Amino acid sequence: MFGWLLAAAATAAIGAACDLETPHGGEGCRRADIDALRVNQIQAVGTHNSYKQAIAPAEMALLAAAAPDMAASLDYAHLSLTEQLNGGARQLEIDVFYDPEGGRYAQPLGRRLAPQGPDYDAAPMAESGLKVMHVQDIDYRSHCPRFIDCLAEIERWSAAHPDHLPLLILLNLKEGDALPAPGAVRPLPFDAAAMDAVDAEIGSVFPAGRLITPDRVQGAHPTLREAVAQGGWPSLAEARGRVIFALDAPRHQVDLYRGARTNLEGRAAFVNIEEDESAAGYITLNDPIAQAERIAAAVRAGLLVRTRADADTVEARTGETARREAAFASGAHYVSTDYMTPDPRFSDFQVILPGRAAGRLNPLGGEAP
């Protein structure tokens, strides 16, 4: 509570037009006031499945014939990670597949069924290490096929923009069944070794000083939950140029990642976990309409929250903005979208902050937990 109270005095001087990332903050905005804010008093926009490229036309045609609803929901793509960050994205989402031996995903079924020209380089997929794609075999094209390549691109951008607001990088660890088709590949499950591999690849790219880790936030508090409730998040002055990782994962994966830890000792990433648990510091609440009250309560309790302004191309196709407006009003710190850039095939639907700012004062930012 005390950290919020110390920062609350500065929020009165930070108007809606203040850009939290520019050196001066905008006309009438003082950088000192902005830098006094804590990480959990801002709001920024990010992207969903940030690495994703479009499904090739011939493969999309096959998918549309077999599963039209799925095809429609997958019919979107993003610019490169660098272009998204340049455009103001301060949250990215990366889907990760375990591939310790390499080559498991090098010959996707969709490409075998609908051969394309030289538009796909399978060489990175043949190497060992974590891979990045949305759905194996059908939605596999990625701006950075290897996790380490995604990390390296983010790190290069971050190092070149040391004043940026803290970046939240969400990780989905993909496992489960193969697609119901002959020749489809079944993803490997994430075991304890795979969890360690995630942290190892993060640590191979980002020095410890560039990360905001659970240990850093917890400090001397007995639990991470108590730390975030009592102002444990760093100020923007301390957090600029740094990156936060969060595991947006089902409970069995969260438990594997934590192991026997009381909180998240030694781990690189926060985890999506219930608000009242000792390791609570981050939570995914993707429905800003149905979960509005829960989002507000989590924000006031000091947790970082991510929600979504759109899903499955629905809003882009209809132009409906209720979910987008609810997401911004909810107080969620990171509002995720597939449409920082509109898709002219559908509509002018877009999710950006006013003035294309990289960040603004959270609607609930001045309130104490």
Side-chain angles (χ1 to χ4, degrees):
M1 175 182 296
F2 298 110
W4 279 69
L5 291 175
L6 289 173
T11 63
I14 301 173
C18 292
D19 187 329
L20 306 189
E21 200 165 86
T22 59
H24 50 77
E27 185 176 355
C29 307
R30 292 202 324 142
R31 180 59 176 265
D33 292 333
I34 292 170
D35 277 350
L37 295 173
R38 293 190 179 274
V39 168
N40 60 328
Q41 289 188 288
I42 69 171
Q43 187 173 70
V45 171
T47 55
H48 163 251
N49 294 337
S50 310
Y51 55 84
K52 188 180 177 316
Q53 295 183 329
I55 298 174
E59 295 171 55
M60 178 58 84
L62 283 179
L63 181 61
D69 290 344
M70 176 183 287
S73 72
L74 299 179
D75 192 10
Y76 65 94
H78 289 294
L79 301 172
S80 72
L81 300 184
T82 297
E83 290 173 294
Q84 292 175 61
L85 292 166
N86 285 339
R90 295 298 176 264
Q91 174 259 301
L92 301 173
E93 182 181 55
I94 301 175
D95 291 343
V96 182
F97 288 74
Y98 189 42
D99 190 19
E101 296 181 1
R104 190 172 188 84
Y105 307 102
Q107 299 297 325
L109 180 61
R111 185 168 176 78
R112 283 180 274 142
L113 294 175
Q116 305 290 302
D119 67 331
Y120 177 68
D121 181 8
M125 304 300 279
E127 300 179 22
S128 62
L130 299 165
K131 302 303 191 304
V132 173
M133 71 194 96
H134 187 215
V135 182
Q136 76 283 358
D137 283 320
I138 61 169
D139 194 7
Y140 55 85
R141 284 176 167 81
S142 172
H143 285 292
C144 40
R146 301 188 306 164
F147 182 48
I148 199 166
D149 295 330
C150 297
L151 295 174
E153 184 174 355
I154 296 166
E155 193 282 329
R156 285 193 299 271
W157 184 90
S158 175
H161 300 82
D163 236 19
H164 70 73
L165 294 174
L167 303 179
L168 174 64
I169 312 299
L170 296 183
L171 304 179
N172 294 152
L173 308 183
K174 292 298 191 82
E175 57 186 13
D177 296 330
L179 297 175
V185 175
R186 183 178 184 274
L188 293 176
F190 274 78
D191 57 15
M195 297 300 179
D196 289 342
V198 172
D199 275 12
E201 291 203 12
I202 291 171
S204 73
V205 174
F206 286 95
R210 297 277 299 285
L211 298 177
I212 299 174
T213 63
D215 285 342
R216 161 67 180 81
V217 174
Q218 183 176 338
H221 293 276
T223 68
L224 182 59
R225 175 68 185 83
E226 291 180 55
V228 301
Q230 297 180 36
W233 291 104
S235 69
L236 292 189
E238 299 169 297
R240 292 186 185 278
R242 289 173 170 75
V243 179
I244 305 166
F245 284 90
L247 198 65
D248 185 6
R251 187 59 192 238
H252 75 277
Q253 290 184 341
V254 167
D255 290 344
L256 270 173
Y257 187 73
R258 289 182 72 188
R261 297 167 179 82
T262 302
N263 297 284
L264 288 163
E265 295 86 356
R267 281 305 197 189
F270 295 82
V271 293
N272 180 25
I273 199 167
E274 295 297 311
E275 296 96 312
D276 60 353
E277 297 190 60
S278 65
Y282 166 83
I283 192 167
T284 297
L285 296 170
N286 279 332
D287 190 334
I289 297 175
Q291 296 176 306
E293 291 185 6
R294 189 176 176 189
I295 291 172
V299 170
R300 294 189 179 104
L303 278 68
L304 286 189
V305 182
R306 178 261 204 166
T307 196
R308 290 183 65 179
D310 49 83
D312 301 327
T313 76
V314 171
E315 286 76 14
R317 293 177 188 273
T318 64
E320 173 58 51
T321 61
R323 181 169 177 161
R324 180 185 71 189
E325 301 315 311
F328 281 131
S330 71
H333 303 93
Y334 294 93
V335 176
S336 182
T337 180
D338 290 321
Y339 299 100
M340 285 191 71
T341 301
D343 188 332
R345 299 175 303 161
F346 301 150
S347 70
D348 61 357
F349 180 84
Q350 185 177 24
V351 180
I352 54 174
L353 289 174
R356 293 184 172 271
R360 67 177 182 179
L361 179 67
N362 192 296
L364 305 183
E367 300 186 32

